[in-house]
Amino acid sequence: MFLALSKYIPEKALPLIEYLIEEHKVTLKIVGQRQTKHGDFRHLPNGKMQITVNNNLNPHQFLLTLVHEIAHHVTHKKFGRVQPHGKEWKTVFQHLMLPFLQPEIYPLSILPHLANYLKNPKASTDTDVNLSLALRYGMAEEGKSFIFEVPNGRVFKFKNILYKRGNKRRTRYECLNLSNKRTYLFNQNAEVILVE
């Protein structure tokens, strides 16, 4: 399994991940891309715990997601039923991530954003705009643009629905759904397809 894992995470992180997986008896399943999440942790009917991580993540996203989910597992073992992203999980996640905060694993373009995020980690890394952008190496998926790159008033497609980009509020963009005429707020790192 660890040989297969080597293509998903940075090479220097492999010994640490192998240790965490063995130490905490993690059942890991690498799955296809999901629209709403990068990974998850769940109890199986047989009493075992399973972690899933999307196979489309780059090595730095994959590693962070995997440790995030291992932290859920460790938190559950240590504290039982607590808030999924509460103070217990935050402490465990910070502790587990500490050994990975080195330039041999995370490049300097990501490291300061990751360290800042870990001061008070949230349920999703995508809520931290700077970290999210750094983890994507500053580039949107091929054929897509970040919403902050889309000119005001320009039409774009998101999940097969047409929108028109509006003004930026504090951290999000107002976008008009051209079908139902409702305004939705988009995270500034949302990836969209420009319409000609």
Side-chain angles (χ1 to χ4, degrees):
M1 178 194 33
F2 296 123
L3 187 61
L5 198 54
S6 66
K7 72 179 189 180
Y8 291 103
I9 64 171
E11 185 184 340
K12 297 280 187 190
L14 204 53
L16 289 166
I17 282 296
E18 286 176 3
Y19 170 78
L20 286 177
I21 287 173
E22 286 175 356
E23 174 73 13
H24 299 292
K25 297 171 182 52
V26 170
T27 302
L28 173 64
K29 189 174 175 186
I30 299 169
V31 299
Q33 179 179 2
R34 293 168 287 189
Q35 290 296 320
T36 56
K37 58 185 168 184
H38 298 307
D40 70 9
F41 160 76
R42 71 177 82 155
H43 304 265
L44 298 176
N46 63 7
K48 294 196 177 197
M49 309 294 179
Q50 177 180 275
I51 288 172
T52 63
V53 181
N54 294 3
N55 64 4
N56 67 312
L57 303 176
N58 70 47
H60 298 106
Q61 290 172 315
F62 192 99
L63 176 59
L64 184 59
T65 301
L66 179 55
V67 177
H68 173 122
E69 301 306 337
I70 291 172
H72 281 300
H73 178 64
V74 173
T75 303
H76 177 77
K77 277 185 3 189
K78 202 170 178 180
F79 301 102
R81 261 182 111 72
V82 293
Q83 285 291 324
H85 298 99
K87 63 181 183 353
E88 297 88 356
W89 172 82
K90 288 180 186 207
T91 303
V92 170
F93 184 39
Q94 290 163 333
H95 176 75
L96 292 178
M97 274 304 295
L98 212 51
F100 296 100
L101 296 182
Q102 49 183 303
E104 297 79 33
I105 296 176
Y106 278 99
L108 294 176
S109 60
I110 297 175
L111 215 43
H113 302 293
L114 181 56
N116 190 51
Y117 163 78
L118 285 169
K119 289 176 186 172
N120 186 20
K122 302 284 186 270
S124 171
T125 53
D126 289 341
T127 57
D128 184 315
V129 175
N130 296 323
L131 176 60
S132 174
L133 194 57
L135 283 170
R136 296 180 201 184
Y137 313 129
M139 296 181 299
E141 214 176 282
E142 194 173 326
K144 293 185 176 181
S145 301
F146 291 118
I147 195 92
F148 70 80
E149 299 172 319
V150 175
N152 201 350
R154 185 79 188 267
V155 175
F156 64 88
K157 191 186 285 190
F158 182 75
K159 295 185 179 176
N160 288 322
I161 297 171
L162 293 177
Y163 294 86
K164 184 189 271 188
R165 207 207 90 182
N167 294 323
K168 182 179 180 185
R169 282 198 187 170
R170 280 188 24 243
T171 59
R172 295 173 182 256
Y173 287 89
E174 294 177 346
C175 298
L176 178 68
N177 178 316
L178 297 179
S179 307
N180 66 15
K181 304 297 183 210
R182 286 184 163 154
T183 299
Y184 294 85
L185 295 176
F186 277 72
N187 180 312
Q188 54 192 320
N189 286 346
E191 294 184 28
V192 301
I193 299 168
L194 286 174
V195 175
E196 295 306 318

